[in-house]
Amino acid sequence: MAPKEQQDPSYRILHEADLRAYLADVPAIAAQLGGAAADWAITEVGDGNLNLVFIVKGARGGIAVKQALPYVRLVGESWPLPLSRAHYEHLALVHQARLTGQLVPAVLHHDRALALTAMELLTPHIIMRRGLIEGIRYPRFVDDISTFMANTLFFSSDLALTAAEKKEGIAAFAGNHALCKITEDLIFTDPYRVAEQNRWTTPWLDATAQDFRDDLDLHVAISRLKLKFMASPEALIHGDLHTGSIMVTQDQTRVIDPEFAFYGPMGFDIGAVIANLLMAYLASAGHERAPGDRAVFEAWVLETVEGVWSEFARKFLVLWRSEARGDGYPVALFPGEAGTARLETERQAYMARLFQDTVGFAAAKTIRRILGLAHNLDFEAIADEKQRAICEARALRLARSMMLEAPSFTTIDAVTKAAREVRDWQPEFAR
Ligand code: SR1
Ligand code: MG
């Protein structure tokens, strides 16, 4: 068992008054906020599963402050969680800023003992998931998220790093295992067994939940994915790249919340983005005010799914052809024209394997949001529970086939085609 983390004796949960006094003592922050500390407006706005998030506004400007709690906020003090996740999040933010510039919020201040990070206030950005529920389209998203993933994943992989650099990177994040364990349990184990914290839209999905607990083919498939998650340190992944970890406007995209970062399989991040778009697509019917009134939005979501993969793959391959200074695929082994051609064939094979991983992880990410502990607002915001269950049953049907028949999904168009086909399928309880 991993040793229990020692909490820094100076750690305390900051309430509004403590935070005001604390920030007033950080000159760069006080200058950024401007005016008298007593006049700063401080509001706790965290709606995530784990942390406190404050928005602080002063006479000159605003900031966001995130503080880790020593437990899982969603569940309470009965589920302790190491504060060190704030340190790993800070490390990941610095790494992502170096590789993607403006695509992550600027870090203004970090206090490891308090597990606290002050960041640029993203305004008027909103959480992308909320925009998708409203049926809003985001024209920058494909270009920005594909750049984010191609850069962060390629430049932390063995294609770009020496073996020593890569192993130093793995070591720097190896301590974030408690966050990995959440994923190992909540995504790769619990939805397929009886677990106290599981929930689903009952009674409509009772039979489906039972099926998922009984299906040994699915249990093999999810266990293979779990092993890949645990034993494939391909790159420094964000680790929780759903649409609740992305903030958007019509012109900007910002990726936030990399506290689950560690060296893991690249397909886990790509699959997270794709799964959350597919869930937005299949939840959309539950947000219609009149039949078909979200058709344009829904078509955009599927184009976005296609664009996310194809632009990611294109950009990743451009980097591989031009920036491959790592110890993987030594240049000396691919000399001359024949070597160049063979390496290019191998790059395509690599991308095909990565696509298979992406499809499998996207399926796992979908299933956990419907049968596990932590659900998505896309579905939860559908007030009519039977309608919600219909949308969720469609998503489960798609995810199940993506997980069990991953090799038959050889292109992203095959995934969007299957999503389109399931969009109007009626589960038995709705017939
Ligand atoms: C107990 S934490 C539940 C979920 O919230 C985070 O956003 C991750 O997705 C995690 O699995
Ligand atoms: Mg988060």
Side-chain angles (χ1 to χ4, degrees):
M1 202 164 131
K4 195 172 176 306
E5 183 180 272
Q6 284 298 316
Q7 189 169 300
D8 190 289
S10 65
Y11 176 83
R12 62 210 184 273
I13 295 173
L14 292 182
H15 301 288
E16 187 195 311
D18 321 298
L19 182 62
R20 187 184 303 279
Y22 174 82
L23 295 175
D25 265 353
V26 182
I29 298 286
Q32 169 119 3
L33 289 167
D39 296 332
W40 295 342
I42 303 183
T43 324
E44 206 281 313
V45 295
D47 64 354
N49 295 327
L50 302 180
N51 308 294
L52 294 174
V53 180
F54 298 91
I55 288 182
V56 186
K57 287 188 176 161
R60 186 172 303 129
I63 60 169
V65 178
K66 179 169 177 179
Q67 186 183 34
L69 292 166
Y71 52 84
V72 173
R73 181 178 183 160
L74 174 70
V75 174
E77 293 181 42
S78 60
W79 187 343
L81 196 62
L83 296 170
S84 58
R85 66 187 188 273
H87 161 71
Y88 296 111
E89 173 164 1
H90 176 240
L91 278 187
L93 276 171
V94 170
H95 160 89
Q96 293 163 350
R98 185 170 58 78
L99 295 173
T100 73
Q102 300 276 302
L103 293 177
V104 293
V107 172
L108 307 171
H109 172 74
H110 177 67
D111 185 325
R112 188 167 179 174
L114 282 182
L116 174 149
T117 307
M119 284 166 277
E120 165 194 14
L121 180 62
L122 297 173
T123 178
H125 307 66
I126 62 165
I127 292 288
M128 184 177 184
R129 191 188 304 290
R130 293 186 179 273
L132 296 177
I133 291 168
E134 295 300 315
I136 302 172
R137 291 169 274 159
Y138 293 100
R140 292 267 348 127
F141 181 67
V142 165
D143 192 32
D144 287 343
I145 202 70
S146 57
T147 297
F148 177 87
M149 293 193 296
N151 288 10
T152 58
L153 299 178
F154 177 82
F155 285 110
S156 59
S157 76
D158 291 289
L159 303 172
L161 299 179
T162 65
E165 289 167 338
K166 173 82 183 312
K167 286 172 178 63
E168 293 291 338
I170 294 172
F173 282 86
N176 206 16
H177 46 75
L179 280 279
C180 293
K181 176 84 167 95
I182 288 181
T183 300
E184 289 149 17
D185 291 343
L186 296 192
I187 298 184
F188 295 109
T189 312
D190 289 354
Y192 306 87
R193 65 175 187 138
V194 174
E196 206 186 318
Q197 303 186 109
N198 285 344
R199 61 191 185 87
W200 54 83
T201 308
T202 190
W204 316 106
L205 297 183
D206 290 359
T208 310
Q210 181 73 50
D211 277 356
F212 276 63
R213 291 197 296 271
D214 291 344
D215 186 334
L216 291 178
D217 290 338
L218 262 184
H219 295 191
V220 168
I222 193 66
S223 299
R224 286 182 184 166
L225 288 162
K226 180 175 183 179
L227 204 60
K228 187 156 277 173
F229 178 82
M230 296 172 77
S232 308
E234 294 173 350
L236 179 57
I237 65 172
H238 177 284
D240 198 25
L241 195 47
H242 53 75
T243 47
S245 296
I246 299 170
M247 295 189 74
V248 281
T249 65
Q250 287 298 298
D251 318 310
Q252 292 186 356
T253 310
R254 298 284 184 268
V255 176
I256 62 171
D257 273 4
E259 65 207 311
F260 284 77
F262 81 115
Y263 277 74
M266 301 187 194
F268 190 74
D269 273 2
I270 316 161
V273 173
I274 287 175
N276 280 271
L277 290 169
L278 290 172
M279 284 188 272
Y281 171 73
L282 291 170
S284 181
H287 301 299
E288 283 179 336
R289 294 200 175 89
D293 68 352
R294 292 170 59 108
V296 173
F297 167 75
E298 290 173 20
W300 172 82
V301 177
L302 292 190
E303 274 166 34
T304 301
V305 169
E306 290 163 8
V308 165
W309 171 258
S310 58
E311 276 301 282
F312 163 77
R314 187 185 68 73
K315 290 175 184 177
F316 191 91
L317 283 169
V318 167
L319 291 173
W320 191 347
R321 292 182 194 116
S322 58
E323 308 279 343
R325 298 192 187 86
D327 283 340
Y329 293 98
V331 179
L333 297 192
F334 298 95
E337 253 177 56
T340 305
R342 188 57 201 269
L343 183 55
E344 186 54 29
T345 308
E346 174 55 13
R347 288 189 187 111
Q348 302 300 331
Y350 177 103
M351 296 313 283
R353 289 196 297 274
L354 181 50
F355 184 69
Q356 288 298 293
D357 293 354
T358 298
V359 170
F361 285 126
K365 287 278 199 170
T366 302
I367 293 164
R368 64 80 55 111
R369 293 291 183 196
I370 301 172
L371 300 180
L373 166 71
H375 286 216
N376 269 3
L377 195 59
D378 311 57
F379 293 122
E380 297 293 288
I382 302 170
D384 177 333
E385 292 195 359
K386 185 172 178 188
Q387 180 59 42
R388 184 197 309 160
I390 291 171
C391 295
E392 291 175 326
R394 291 171 181 156
L396 286 175
R397 184 176 173 87
L398 174 64
R400 185 189 192 125
S401 79
M402 284 166 67
M403 191 176 292
L404 287 177
E405 296 146 33
S408 72
F409 292 90
T410 52
T411 64
I412 192 66
D413 289 5
V415 173
T416 53
K417 180 169 179 276
R420 225 171 266 118
E421 283 166 6
V422 87
R423 160 68 172 74
D424 294 313
W425 171 76
Q426 291 298 328
E428 213 169 284
F429 64 79
R431 285 176 208 153

